[in-house]
């Protein structure tokens, strides 16, 4: 894994994506509303953020781009999408990712 693929404590502008699939095939979620991504931190606390389509939703991809203060704990995180399509309200599978610590605490 290269440094570019790693996620680090305090990273800003990192695009965290989820693919919504059913039976191994990407779902067309282009009509989905109320797109949210919930993050569970290593401590167990959660963070809900508005998500957006990566393209137009027909590929099943959504993302959230991190801002200052989001990635504030090193360790294993979990993310999950929540959305509404018509009268259906539901969520995606959960996906884990690792936020790595840094050598120094302050950014240059």
């Amino acid at each position: 894994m290269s440094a570019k693929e790693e996620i680090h404590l305090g990273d800003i502008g990192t695009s965290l994506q989820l693919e919504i699939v059913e039976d191994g095939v990407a779902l067309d979620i282009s009509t989905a509303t109320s797109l949210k991504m919930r993050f569970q931190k290593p401590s167990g606390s959660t963070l809900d953020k508005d998500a957006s389509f990566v393209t137009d939703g027909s590929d099943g991809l959504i993302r959230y781009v991190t801002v200052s203060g989001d990635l504030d704990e090193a360790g294993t995180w979990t993310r999950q999408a929540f959305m509404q399509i018509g009268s259906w309200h539901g969520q995606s599978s959960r996906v884990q990712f690792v936020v790595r610590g840094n050598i120094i605490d302050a950014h240059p």
Side-chain angles (χ1 to χ4, degrees), residues 10-92:
D11 281 356
I12 298 169
T14 299
S15 179
L16 300 171
Q17 296 185 16
L18 281 171
E19 182 180 28
I20 313 303
V21 297
E22 184 174 61
D23 298 327
V25 177
L27 284 178
D28 180 349
I29 57 169
S30 59
T31 61
T33 58
S34 303
L35 290 173
K36 301 278 185 190
M37 204 174 291
R38 176 170 289 159
F39 297 92
Q40 185 174 33
K41 300 178 182 190
S43 65
S45 64
T46 58
L47 179 67
D48 288 346
K49 295 290 186 167
D50 290 330
S52 61
F53 296 125
V54 173
T55 58
D56 63 1
S58 63
D59 55 6
L61 293 173
I62 67 166
R63 73 170 160 224
Y64 171 71
V65 179
T66 63
V67 298
S68 179
D70 284 344
L71 300 174
D72 59 355
E73 293 182 20
T76 302
W77 289 57
T78 303
R79 66 183 180 262
Q80 184 175 31
F82 291 83
M83 70 192 73
Q84 179 177 345
I85 301 175
S87 62
W88 178 84
H89 296 244
Q91 60 276 330
S92 71

